[in-house]
Amino acid sequence: MYHASQEGTQVLQRKVTHDPATGLANRSSFYEQLRLRTDDAIAHGSHVGVMVARVNPYRQEVMMELAKRLAKECREGDFLARLSVDEFGVILSVAGRRTIVQSQVLRFRQAATSEPVLLPDGGKVDLTMLVGSALFPEDSKAISELVAMARKSE
């Protein structure tokens, strides 16, 4: 009985912290992880990079494929999440300088948009992805402002 109860709790926890369509972490998990990482950066005098990518056109099949492409590009320590219906966020584990963050953003953009997305009906979708980034603590010391800065720099 205990095992069944524990398993039910794990399922519920996953539903609360993950996007059901892509399996990625959701917005609340992203912000929690960003808070932890910025706290760590303050304690160690380091940086945190944030990337936000908005996708056009929005289709569920496109978002699922894009989630796979972005996940392939993540380095150990990166944190990928679905922030909204048409938006992904990545907390970058390597972010010592703005130029490093910008090169990672370019790498993510190229991987995501270099080939059209093939749809189940055989069609293809060429997508565009607006990508922006911000660097903690230079751009902002507040988490919500940091993400807003990344969105503005698209």
Side-chain angles (χ1 to χ4, degrees):
M1 184 74 156
Y2 172 76
H3 179 70
S5 174
Q6 187 178 23
E7 190 173 293
T9 302
Q10 291 171 345
V11 169
L12 181 59
Q13 178 67 24
R14 179 144 181 90
K15 284 183 179 184
V16 171
T17 61
H18 287 76
D19 173 59
T22 62
L24 297 177
N26 64 16
R27 177 186 202 87
S28 64
S29 294
F30 179 84
Y31 277 95
E32 177 61 19
Q33 188 63 218
L34 186 55
R35 183 189 64 76
L36 293 171
R37 295 201 186 186
T38 55
D39 287 351
D40 187 61
I42 291 168
H44 295 96
S46 59
H47 299 84
V48 176
V50 175
M51 179 186 95
V52 176
R54 185 163 293 138
V55 180
N56 189 20
Y58 164 75
R59 286 182 64 157
Q60 193 65 20
E61 302 94 339
V62 170
M63 297 305 282
M64 290 167 56
E65 175 60 26
L66 197 51
K68 292 175 191 172
R69 291 180 185 185
L70 293 173
K72 279 185 179 178
E73 289 303 311
C74 285
R75 295 179 175 161
E76 185 176 337
D78 287 351
F79 188 85
L80 172 62
R82 187 169 182 188
L83 301 182
S84 69
V85 69
D86 66 344
E87 189 176 62
F88 293 98
V90 182
I91 303 169
L92 303 165
S93 60
V94 178
R97 295 187 314 273
R98 187 171 308 281
T99 55
I100 294 170
V101 171
Q102 290 170 336
S103 69
Q104 290 181 79
V105 166
L106 180 61
R107 181 174 51 82
F108 274 100
R109 178 184 286 136
Q110 288 174 337
T113 62
S114 63
E115 295 181 20
V117 174
L118 302 176
L119 300 174
D121 65 6
K124 294 181 183 179
V125 175
D126 290 314
L127 54 95
T128 57
M129 192 167 80
L130 300 173
V131 185
S133 62
L135 185 63
F136 176 89
E138 283 83 347
D139 292 326
S140 179
K141 292 183 179 172
I143 294 170
S144 59
E145 287 178 18
L146 191 66
V147 175
M149 294 290 292
R151 283 188 179 114
K152 285 181 184 177
S153 71
E154 296 175 336

